[in-house]
Amino acid sequence: MTGSFRIGRIFGVPLRLHWSVPVLVLVIGFGLGRNTLPAWVPDRSSTVYATAAVLGAVLLAVSLLLHEAAHAVAARRSGIDVEDVTLWALGGVTRMGRPRSAGVALWVAVIGPLTSLVFGAAALGAGIGLHAASGWALYAALLAWLGWANLLLGVFNLLPAVPLDGGRVLHAVIWMATKDRDRSELAADRGGQIIGALIVAAGWFMILRGAPGGLWLAVIGLFITFTAGVERRRAAISAALRGVRVGDAMSAPVTTVSDWLTVDRFIEDGGGRAGHSVLPLTDLNGSPTGIVQLRSIAMVPVERRAEVRMRDLAVPLSQCTVAAPDDLLNDVVDGVRTQVGLHILVVEARRLVGIVTPHDLTRTFERRTVRRTAGGAAAPPRWR
């Protein structure tokens, strides 16, 4: 996700933090310390309220992390590759491969809300017990607030709207009933668009009635509507590319660049006029070693171009998406690495035999769509 940075790993999965999370902690902490806690437990000092509010906001962020970690752990134990977990203001995003069965999809989807509901119930129970046993009203109220927040999070995430977990649950249930993955995805995505629009309408209604919280609700609705639309287009593309081999979509032969060339030699040889945003690199044996982006070359200072080699600027092969000609295109796209976007190096016997670019994917999609709709036209996807 744009605007996020890596802060570590959780259960072996890279953990990223979006810049909006610290903002969320400050906003929630301010509201908790300024309004909620003083209303629930009056007559405490400002310092006490502020300390408890910071603690509550941090614990809420931890509970969001537990929610996403549950998805990641369930996915990995089910044999699904997990790329990373990103926390942001509206919760979190776990980037992973696609489940192979409806049962696995259901389990991975439902485990997050279940974790939030269990955590919320435990925190609420602890708050009630702490107040009854010790009379520590402030910390009991803090635990009760944390419990209600997680219960709300769990219930909200169960709304049948992609990209919420409830939308994934709906997809899995329809998949089980129809045995048709494509139709179930499209149905769940359409449901997400409808519910997102209803949430936006509810938010605007609240704003018109003078409730400022309606703005936040409208933003959430817009996010759901937009993301569900993106998911719907992706599902349509996946259906159109079903059964296509990588070799059927690739461009060949491929223009390559020797990885030992210096930047100034590359420019002198006319490489700057290649007409592509990325170029595959090869070693002395002709084997691919990575991909270099033209923007990386352009950023090299003129005085250093004689000493910087192309391989110094490249995304190494280990971080690129590599496929064989007979691999299924959908499977490869699902596992695409993000470092160089949707560019797939097609390798056979350690030789680069082709490349699949966003343009190749668009062309293949259009050709398949025309065949499937008997002359009907579909808007081409915007690959990045």
Side-chain angles (χ1 to χ4, degrees), residues 39 77 85 93 107 118 134 152 165 174 183 197 200 229 234 245 283 301 305-306 342 353-354:
R77 289 186 176 179
V85 171
V93 176
W107 170 241
V118 170
S134 65
L152 179 61
D165 296 326
I174 298 176
R183 286 177 57 194
V200 171
R234 185 198 60 77
R245 304 283 175 178
D283 60 16
R305 290 178 178 176
L342 265 171
V353 298

Side-chain angles (χ1 to χ4, degrees), residues 120-130 143-144 147:
L124 183 59
I128 295 173
L130 181 64
L143 285 171

Side-chain angles (χ1 to χ4, degrees), residues 44-135:
R44 299 293 194 277
S45 68
S46 299
T47 302
V48 171
Y49 285 136
T51 303
V54 171
L55 178 61
V58 171
L59 287 175
L60 182 61
V62 170
S63 67
L64 294 177
L65 177 58
L66 290 176
H67 178 113
E68 293 303 321
H71 286 306
V73 171
R76 294 188 70 179
R77 289 186 176 179
S78 300
I80 302 173
D81 290 332
V82 180
E83 186 170 347
D84 58 34
V85 171
T86 302
L87 294 182
W88 73 304
L90 295 181
V93 176
T94 301
R95 292 196 297 176
M96 66 181 76
R98 303 177 75 192
R100 300 294 182 181
S101 68
V104 171
L106 179 61
W107 170 241
V108 173
V110 78
I111 187 64
L114 285 179
T115 300
S116 294
L117 292 173
V118 170
F119 184 87
L124 183 59
I128 295 173
L130 181 64
H131 184 269
S134 65

